[in-house]
Amino acid sequence: MRITVLAGGVGAARFLRGLKAAAPDAEITVIGNTGDDITLFGLRVCPDLDTVMYTLGGGINEDQGWGRAGETFAIRDELAGYGAGPDWFTLGDRDFATHIARSQLLAGGHPLSAVTEILCRRWQPGIRLLPMSDDQIETHVLIDDGDGRRYVHFQEWWVRMHAQVPAAAIVPAGAADARPAPGVLDAITGADVVLFPPSNPVVSIGTILAVPGIREAVAARTVVGVSPIIGGAPVRGMADACLTAIGVPTSAAAVGAHYGAGLIDGWLMDNEDKAAAADTALTGIEVRIMPLYMHDLAATADIARAALDLAAGLT
Ligand code: GDP
Ligand code: CA
């Protein structure tokens, strides 16, 4: 079976661990969000690709869900000695090595898709990891914080401002002129099922869908999504601030309806959201209710299995 997954960072990576356990023989392609990518200290940092790569490759900081296990922070401290910023984005020494290797390969002329493949040779994540595009796309957030109305990089809003400043708009800058990376459209077109893990609907899945051609290709397949919203709140993080920015209420039903019957065929919502299963906004989408907390590998594999079972019943 061929499964293609559109992936953000932490939510996606955890789900993918469960999916690998639930479907050990499947050929899994992961299309990773690169809208969170940022250049820091002259290095290209790809947080979502790395979170998937480290998690599936056994190198993740399990408590945080991002960054490397066993990190040290000598480089950060040395940079601070020079007053070199920014100081609000944490990069450990081991993580720095990834960004140095990536930046060196990019400077050598390799596209991001080729670079990602090379980095994955070390980590052997057991899935094929493709960036959504080789073209640079960065999520920018329109804010007004007293210094005037301006766009800031997503990471500045998310990490430095903790998404506390309301976002008037969230835009995938560069997406309109971007092309899907090599293999992306084929992976969607050739998939038996496309899955949306419980990733941020706006800045993870939404950004991937903004790359020209991807939404149409996905819509033509059998698609099942897992809600990242349980009981009216994100399980972790600040996805509610992103949903508010695009005028979507923070509820499992509203997110399912936001994707819509034209895009997804099946939608998993948590037991806590059972009452919303019959919401007319979800008409045309097959809804299943089950526990959606990814507490451990077994619980996560159950979620992945339910998504695959739902998809199988829909094709
Ligand atoms: P990010 O790029 O690191 O923010 O990660 P993603 O976009 O892949 O996923 C973030 C989303 O994962 C958040 O909106 C969380 O609500 C969701 N999430 C995290 N843990 C869980 C969980 O155990 N269950 C569900 N259903 N969603 C989760
Ligand atoms: Ca992310």
Side-chain angles (χ1 to χ4, degrees):
M1 181 166 52
R2 281 176 296 185
I3 305 169
T4 294
V5 182
L6 306 195
V10 178
R14 295 214 160 131
F15 175 80
L16 285 164
R17 271 214 285 232
L19 180 63
K20 280 174 65 181
D25 300 325
E27 200 182 294
I28 302 171
T29 301
V30 177
I31 299 172
N33 171 44
T34 58
D36 292 15
D37 295 6
I38 186 168
T39 300
L40 297 168
F41 309 105
L43 303 173
R44 196 67 183 154
V45 179
C46 303
D48 284 353
L49 293 179
D50 289 349
T51 296
V52 170
M53 184 175 77
Y54 293 156
T55 301
L56 301 183
I60 200 78
N61 177 325
E62 294 285 349
D63 298 329
Q64 272 179 179
W66 52 272
R68 289 290 311 279
E71 267 296 13
T72 52
F73 294 93
I75 300 176
R76 178 193 64 188
D77 296 347
E78 289 295 315
L79 287 166
Y82 293 108
D87 60 3
W88 45 263
F89 200 93
T90 307
L91 296 172
D93 299 331
R94 290 167 184 254
D95 202 20
F96 257 114
T98 304
H99 311 316
I100 293 168
R102 173 188 294 119
S103 301
Q104 187 181 37
L105 289 163
L106 288 170
H110 295 278
L112 183 62
S113 52
V115 174
T116 304
E117 192 184 331
I118 292 168
L119 298 180
C120 282
R121 275 182 212 151
R122 171 181 177 193
W123 290 102
Q124 298 287 319
I127 51 93
R128 188 161 65 114
L129 180 60
L130 303 176
M132 64 191 195
S133 178
D134 279 334
D135 301 319
Q136 191 164 308
I137 297 164
E138 284 188 349
T139 302
H140 291 172
V141 181
L142 182 61
I143 59 155
D144 190 345
D145 65 351
D147 288 346
R149 215 170 139 84
R150 66 187 201 282
Y151 279 99
V152 295
H153 191 286
F154 168 73
Q155 297 293 0
E156 186 171 0
W157 180 66
W158 191 256
V159 179
R160 186 168 83 79
M161 303 176 183
H162 302 287
Q164 297 289 315
V165 179
I170 298 179
V171 298
D177 304 318
R179 281 167 309 162
V184 165
L185 292 181
D186 285 347
I188 297 167
T189 307
D192 296 302
V193 54
V194 175
L195 299 179
F196 292 180
S199 281
N200 190 308
V202 185
V203 297
S204 292
I205 308 274
T207 308
I208 300 170
L209 293 170
V211 179
I214 293 189
R215 175 182 286 273
E216 294 72 15
V218 169
R221 312 310 304 163
T222 300
V223 183
V224 172
V226 180
S227 177
I229 306 297
I230 297 181
V235 178
R236 50 185 275 168
M238 304 153 290
D240 47 334
C242 301
L243 288 165
T244 301
I246 64 162
V248 174
T250 302
S251 75
V255 172
H258 165 65
Y259 287 136
L263 183 66
I264 63 171
D265 304 287
W267 186 234
L268 302 186
M269 307 203 306
D270 186 78
N271 291 346
E272 278 184 51
D273 300 303
K274 194 173 186 161
D279 195 319
T280 52
L282 293 170
T283 303
I285 300 170
E286 278 293 316
V287 176
R288 293 285 182 278
I289 302 292
M290 69 172 300
L292 290 188
Y293 285 100
M294 299 185 286
H295 289 302
D296 52 29
L297 183 60
T300 311
D302 285 346
I303 297 168
R305 208 169 289 118
L308 294 174
D309 287 348
L310 178 52
L314 290 168
T315 32

PDB file of all heavy atoms in Angstrom, residues 161-174:
ATOM      1  N   MET A 161       7.103  35.997  19.920  1.00  0.00           N
ATOM      2  CA  MET A 161       5.895  36.645  20.463  1.00  0.00           C
ATOM      3  C   MET A 161       4.908  35.635  21.050  1.00  0.00           C
ATOM      4  O   MET A 161       3.839  36.020  21.514  1.00  0.00           O
ATOM      5  CB  MET A 161       5.209  37.462  19.365  1.00  0.00           C
ATOM      6  CG  MET A 161       6.104  38.511  18.738  1.00  0.00           C
ATOM      7  SD  MET A 161       5.261  39.368  17.375  1.00  0.00           S
ATOM      8  CE  MET A 161       6.594  40.430  16.805  1.00  0.00           C
ATOM      9  N   HIS A 162       5.222  34.345  20.963  1.00  0.00           N
ATOM     10  CA  HIS A 162       4.333  33.284  21.467  1.00  0.00           C
ATOM     11  C   HIS A 162       2.911  33.427  20.932  1.00  0.00           C
ATOM     12  O   HIS A 162       1.943  33.127  21.629  1.00  0.00           O
ATOM     13  CB  HIS A 162       4.327  33.252  23.001  1.00  0.00           C
ATOM     14  CG  HIS A 162       5.678  33.050  23.588  1.00  0.00           C
ATOM     15  ND1 HIS A 162       6.355  31.843  23.559  1.00  0.00           N
ATOM     16  CD2 HIS A 162       6.533  33.920  24.181  1.00  0.00           C
ATOM     17  CE1 HIS A 162       7.530  31.977  24.122  1.00  0.00           C
ATOM     18  NE2 HIS A 162       7.683  33.225  24.500  1.00  0.00           N
ATOM     19  N   ALA A 163       2.803  33.962  19.715  1.00  0.00           N
ATOM     20  CA  ALA A 163       1.506  34.153  19.058  1.00  0.00           C
ATOM     21  C   ALA A 163       0.537  34.960  19.922  1.00  0.00           C
ATOM     22  O   ALA A 163      -0.680  34.814  19.815  1.00  0.00           O
ATOM     23  CB  ALA A 163       0.899  32.800  18.655  1.00  0.00           C
ATOM     24  N   GLN A 164       1.091  35.797  20.795  1.00  0.00           N
ATOM     25  CA  GLN A 164       0.256  36.611  21.693  1.00  0.00           C
ATOM     26  C   GLN A 164      -0.278  37.854  20.981  1.00  0.00           C
ATOM     27  O   GLN A 164      -1.325  38.380  21.354  1.00  0.00           O
ATOM     28  CB  GLN A 164       1.070  37.054  22.917  1.00  0.00           C
ATOM     29  CG  GLN A 164       1.552  35.905  23.798  1.00  0.00           C
ATOM     30  CD  GLN A 164       0.414  35.257  24.557  1.00  0.00           C
ATOM     31  OE1 GLN A 164      -0.427  35.943  25.115  1.00  0.00           O
ATOM     32  NE2 GLN A 164       0.368  33.938  24.559  1.00  0.00           N
ATOM     33  N   VAL A 165       0.477  38.340  20.000  1.00  0.00           N
ATOM     34  CA  VAL A 165       0.020  39.488  19.214  1.00  0.00           C
ATOM     35  C   VAL A 165      -0.947  38.954  18.155  1.00  0.00           C
ATOM     36  O   VAL A 165      -0.590  38.034  17.423  1.00  0.00           O
ATOM     37  CB  VAL A 165       1.230  40.172  18.517  1.00  0.00           C
ATOM     38  CG1 VAL A 165       0.767  41.358  17.687  1.00  0.00           C
ATOM     39  CG2 VAL A 165       2.269  40.592  19.542  1.00  0.00           C
ATOM     40  N   PRO A 166      -2.176  39.487  18.085  1.00  0.00           N
ATOM     41  CA  PRO A 166      -3.125  38.946  17.111  1.00  0.00           C
ATOM     42  C   PRO A 166      -2.595  39.054  15.686  1.00  0.00           C
ATOM     43  O   PRO A 166      -1.967  40.042  15.320  1.00  0.00           O
ATOM     44  CB  PRO A 166      -4.365  39.827  17.294  1.00  0.00           C
ATOM     45  CG  PRO A 166      -4.219  40.443  18.638  1.00  0.00           C
ATOM     46  CD  PRO A 166      -2.746  40.569  18.888  1.00  0.00           C
ATOM     47  N   ALA A 167      -2.859  38.022  14.903  1.00  0.00           N
ATOM     48  CA  ALA A 167      -2.452  38.008  13.498  1.00  0.00           C
ATOM     49  C   ALA A 167      -3.616  38.472  12.644  1.00  0.00           C
ATOM     50  O   ALA A 167      -4.714  37.931  12.738  1.00  0.00           O
ATOM     51  CB  ALA A 167      -2.035  36.603  13.097  1.00  0.00           C
ATOM     52  N   ALA A 168      -3.365  39.506  11.820  1.00  0.00           N
ATOM     53  CA  ALA A 168      -4.415  39.993  10.919  1.00  0.00           C
ATOM     54  C   ALA A 168      -4.455  39.152   9.648  1.00  0.00           C
ATOM     55  O   ALA A 168      -5.479  39.070   8.978  1.00  0.00           O
ATOM     56  CB  ALA A 168      -4.163  41.457  10.577  1.00  0.00           C
ATOM     57  N   ALA A 169      -3.343  38.539   9.327  1.00  0.00           N
ATOM     58  CA  ALA A 169      -3.275  37.663   8.151  1.00  0.00           C
ATOM     59  C   ALA A 169      -2.063  36.755   8.278  1.00  0.00           C
ATOM     60  O   ALA A 169      -1.089  37.100   8.946  1.00  0.00           O
ATOM     61  CB  ALA A 169      -3.169  38.491   6.869  1.00  0.00           C
ATOM     62  N   ILE A 170      -2.163  35.588   7.664  1.00  0.00           N
ATOM     63  CA  ILE A 170      -1.038  34.647   7.615  1.00  0.00           C
ATOM     64  C   ILE A 170      -0.873  34.263   6.153  1.00  0.00           C
ATOM     65  O   ILE A 170      -1.815  33.745   5.544  1.00  0.00           O
ATOM     66  CB  ILE A 170      -1.307  33.403   8.486  1.00  0.00           C
ATOM     67  CG1 ILE A 170      -1.479  33.817   9.953  1.00  0.00           C
ATOM     68  CG2 ILE A 170      -0.170  32.390   8.335  1.00  0.00           C
ATOM     69  CD1 ILE A 170      -1.769  32.673  10.907  1.00  0.00           C
ATOM     70  N   VAL A 171       0.295  34.575   5.580  1.00  0.00           N
ATOM     71  CA  VAL A 171       0.470  34.337   4.138  1.00  0.00           C
ATOM     72  C   VAL A 171       1.713  33.476   3.856  1.00  0.00           C
ATOM     73  O   VAL A 171       2.765  33.677   4.455  1.00  0.00           O
ATOM     74  CB  VAL A 171       0.580  35.665   3.355  1.00  0.00           C
ATOM     75  CG1 VAL A 171      -0.692  36.483   3.485  1.00  0.00           C
ATOM     76  CG2 VAL A 171       1.769  36.492   3.809  1.00  0.00           C
ATOM     77  N   PRO A 172       1.581  32.542   2.930  1.00  0.00           N
ATOM     78  CA  PRO A 172       2.743  31.748   2.518  1.00  0.00           C
ATOM     79  C   PRO A 172       3.496  32.519   1.430  1.00  0.00           C
ATOM     80  O   PRO A 172       3.225  32.337   0.248  1.00  0.00           O
ATOM     81  CB  PRO A 172       2.109  30.461   1.976  1.00  0.00           C
ATOM     82  CG  PRO A 172       0.733  30.862   1.528  1.00  0.00           C
ATOM     83  CD  PRO A 172       0.336  32.105   2.266  1.00  0.00           C
ATOM     84  N   ALA A 173       4.423  33.385   1.849  1.00  0.00           N
ATOM     85  CA  ALA A 173       5.109  34.256   0.889  1.00  0.00           C
ATOM     86  C   ALA A 173       5.961  33.430  -0.067  1.00  0.00           C
ATOM     87  O   ALA A 173       6.755  32.600   0.365  1.00  0.00           O
ATOM     88  CB  ALA A 173       5.973  35.264   1.645  1.00  0.00           C
ATOM     89  N   GLY A 174       5.744  33.655  -1.337  1.00  0.00           N
ATOM     90  CA  GLY A 174       6.497  32.931  -2.364  1.00  0.00           C
ATOM     91  C   GLY A 174       5.764  31.727  -2.922  1.00  0.00           C
ATOM     92  O   GLY A 174       6.191  31.143  -3.923  1.00  0.00           O
TER      93      GLY A 174
END
